[in-house]
Amino acid sequence: MQILLAAIVVVPLVGAVAALLPAPPGLKGKSPEQAVLRHGVTVTGAVLALSVALAAGFDHDRPARMQATTDVSWIPALGIRIHLGVDGVSLPLLVLTALLTFLCALYSYHRMPAGPSPKAFVALLLVLEAGTLATFAVLDLMLFFLAFEMVLIPMYFLIARWGGEGRERAAWRFILYTLLGSVVMLLGLLLIGIKGGTFDMVALATDNGSSLSHTTQLIAVVAIGVGLAVKAPMWPLHSWLPDAHTAAPTVGSVLLAGVLLKMGTYGFVRIVLPITPDGAHTFAPYLAAFAAVGIVYGSLVCLALARSGAKGDLKRLIAYSSVGHMGFVLLGIATLTPTGVNGALFANIAHGLITGLLFFLVGAIKDRYGTSDLDSLSGTTGAALYGRAPRLGGLLAFGAVASLGLPGLAGFWGEMLAMFASFRPADGLSRPAFLTFMALAGFGTLLTAAYLLVVVRRVCMGGDGDGDGVTPATAPSGPGPFADVRSYEFAAWTPLVVLTVLAGLWPAALLGLTDPAVQQLLAGGK
């Protein structure tokens, strides 16, 4: 188990270096480009297999205990150690990261985004995977920061070099926002490490803030919270996200929504709640308020983008929907209750599965139709997927109803638990305030259903979405039948559909992992 976890973090880095080397003569296949793309599929597949083996060997009877641990000294002068481990909180995120990266590599093997050398693309993809996996596996504050930052450069280049229109501006906004947030976060992490006498996250969680003064905790929560909130993304620090998603290649959007956003919310659960409990309690109402506003704001923007004549981009709409969905995650965390934090962790996984699928689908639609503009895709001359590509249309409808939180699918449980926890937040938090936040979140779910059903009607059924039966004048003459779901798309999307259904029908499989670990974290590691 110890070797498995270390290999999961190290293998993508080794694979990234190997991707830049010339392919051996016997492995080139038809071309060097094909060889390096196949290399990406092989390495990410091996990491996924290791992750599944780790999950199978995990002691499910004791998910609150750190398992597969490695703890060796790295920089003795600063007390920094290479400390790895997984529990019920981090294991699902580790497996989700490995799965989505493998599916992206498989998709790219058949549909490589237009841009420079595939060698650089595969190497960056593997470095991105290594950084994300390390973020969920490390148990040292400085290593957490290094892993947190490690993903920024590969994602910047994936957007800037393989993205679409406006990619350079979007990439710069992404890197500037996240770097500025990270600088502030580093100050908070250093403050905790210096005042707490160690950078070890397990020891600090067990200490439960007893060695940190109230003032220290307040400063640390503000500093760390800003860096995590930018990545989450929390309103109003979200403005980098829509441009990044709109410009990124399909696999970049999948990984950005599926795993990178989870790094921010994971940091709140792993660092802020157990290590600075007094500071978290003080700022919880403010976090909940920002989360509730983000839920309603994201839904209202999506509703505006979905209406006829708004020149809305389907990819941009799904990006804004992430602001609302991640608002539920932050709301659950802000309740400071086991129910809310478990709901947040469940919503993390559900959002990764569902939004990852939606970005795959939008990428496929854009490849076939040449645009993701909603006015072009709607009306009788638009996509009309039910008639032209019924399987693709059915999958888009499935992703939409899963995203709006239909009971029986994964999107339902996280949102429901977050609102349920808001009904009765932790002791000392204002119940009237959290009831208000719960009402706003409930209103957000209604808006979410509205815009997603409008999108399904316009793109899948060919309606213009405003009920007057008039096709937008901007819609071009439609093409013939689309190619429906191809075999490689079926292979890349089926796991996401199956897991969305399984998580919705059997939520105890995930909640049984997270709940004991959450209970222990909130109790200070005891």
Side-chain angles (χ1 to χ4, degrees):
M1 292 285 286
Q2 188 180 28
I3 295 172
L4 273 178
L5 183 58
I8 287 170
V9 175
V10 172
V11 165
L13 286 176
V14 176
V17 174
L20 299 175
L21 302 175
L27 298 177
K28 282 186 178 179
K30 295 179 181 178
S31 68
E33 288 76 12
Q34 184 190 45
V36 74
L37 291 171
R38 186 168 59 245
H39 170 78
V41 176
T42 303
V43 174
T44 55
V47 173
L48 176 60
L50 292 171
S51 302
V52 172
L54 180 70
F58 188 81
D59 186 353
H60 292 262
D61 294 328
R62 293 189 290 177
R65 183 173 67 89
M66 280 295 170
Q67 302 180 35
T69 56
T70 298
D71 189 5
V72 296
S73 179
W74 183 36
I75 309 176
L78 300 177
I80 300 175
R81 306 180 66 82
I82 297 178
H83 191 182
L84 307 176
V86 290
D87 62 359
V89 170
S90 53
L91 181 64
L93 291 167
L94 208 71
V95 176
L96 175 68
T97 300
L99 173 65
L100 285 178
T101 312
F102 169 70
L103 297 180
C104 286
L106 181 64
Y107 187 86
S108 300
Y109 178 75
H110 296 277
R111 188 76 186 184
M112 171 71 191
S117 163
K119 281 191 171 187
F121 176 83
V122 171
L124 290 169
L125 192 68
L126 293 173
V127 172
L128 182 68
E129 180 181 32
T132 312
L133 290 169
T135 301
F136 300 134
V138 297
L139 297 172
D140 183 278
L141 289 178
M142 289 299 99
L143 284 184
F144 176 84
F145 176 77
L146 292 176
F148 199 84
E149 295 303 287
M150 185 177 171
V151 304
L152 300 185
I153 300 304
M155 181 54 72
Y156 166 81
F157 281 109
L158 285 174
I159 297 172
R161 303 301 298 275
W162 287 270
E165 184 180 351
R167 60 182 182 268
E168 291 186 3
R169 178 178 180 272
W172 273 110
R173 290 195 72 182
F174 164 76
I175 200 75
L176 288 176
Y177 266 76
T178 50
L179 276 178
L180 287 173
S182 298
V183 168
V184 180
M185 184 177 74
L186 176 60
L187 298 176
L189 296 175
L190 288 172
L191 178 64
I192 288 177
I194 293 169
K195 294 292 186 180
T198 179
F199 290 105
D200 187 274
M201 292 159 65
V202 176
L204 289 166
T206 304
D207 185 63
N208 203 213
S210 61
S211 62
L212 303 174
S213 69
H214 183 69
T215 303
T216 299
Q217 291 194 37
L218 292 180
I219 297 172
V221 168
V222 171
I224 296 171
V226 167
L228 297 175
V230 170
K231 189 68 71 74
M234 182 185 78
W235 179 91
L237 303 175
H238 69 284
S239 57
W240 61 270
L241 182 72
D243 287 342
H245 269 309
T246 305
T250 296
V251 294
S253 293
V254 170
L255 292 176
L256 184 57
V259 294
L260 264 68
L261 303 189
K262 313 305 179 284
M263 294 164 62
T265 52
Y266 172 78
F268 277 107
V269 176
R270 178 65 72 196
I271 298 173
V272 175
L273 298 190
I275 297 176
T276 56
D278 292 345
H281 194 279
T282 300
F283 286 106
Y286 302 100
L287 177 62
F290 284 127
V293 171
I295 293 170
V296 176
Y297 168 81
S299 300
L300 287 173
V301 173
C302 289
L303 199 57
L305 290 172
R307 66 182 179 84
S308 178
K311 297 288 185 182
D313 185 277
L314 185 53
K315 211 174 179 187
R316 194 174 188 85
L317 183 146
I318 296 173
Y320 270 109
S321 78
S322 292
V323 177
H325 289 305
M326 296 307 290
F328 280 100
V329 177
L330 293 169
L331 179 61
I333 293 170
T335 65
L336 305 182
T337 62
T339 300
V341 178
N342 278 306
L345 294 172
F346 196 100
N348 259 345
I349 301 299
H351 179 264
L353 296 171
I354 297 167
T355 308
L357 175 64
L358 285 173
F359 275 118
F360 268 134
L361 293 169
V362 174
I365 293 170
K366 189 172 183 178
D367 287 341
R368 287 160 170 78
Y369 199 79
T371 182
S372 53
D373 176 72
L374 270 168
D375 285 343
S376 299
L377 294 173
S378 67
T380 55
T381 60
L385 291 179
Y386 286 161
R388 290 178 174 148
R391 293 183 183 86
L392 189 60
L395 281 171
L396 182 63
F398 171 84
V401 297
S403 185
L404 63 83
L406 186 73
L409 297 176
F412 170 74
W413 294 105
E415 297 181 3
M416 187 273 290
L417 289 172
M419 288 192 287
F420 185 76
S422 299
F423 183 75
R424 197 173 298 277
D427 294 339
L429 296 178
S430 170
R431 194 177 182 213
F434 274 83
L435 288 175
T436 303
F437 303 147
M438 182 188 74
L440 288 172
F443 180 58
T445 61
L446 297 177
L447 295 175
T448 300
Y451 73 73
L452 285 171
L453 292 176
V454 168
V455 166
V456 170
R457 178 186 174 185
R458 299 187 70 194
V459 178
C460 295
M461 304 171 74
D464 61 357
D466 58 9
D468 62 6
V470 178
T471 299
T474 55
S477 177
F482 291 145
D484 213 334
V485 179
R486 302 180 175 98
S487 57
Y488 69 89
E489 292 171 333
F490 181 81
W493 302 343
T494 298
L496 301 179
V497 173
V498 171
L499 289 173
T500 299
V501 174
L502 288 178
L505 295 178
W506 190 27
L510 184 56
L511 294 174
L513 267 180
T514 61
D515 185 54
V518 167
Q519 297 273 4
Q520 182 166 300
L521 279 175
L522 293 179
K526 300 179 179 63

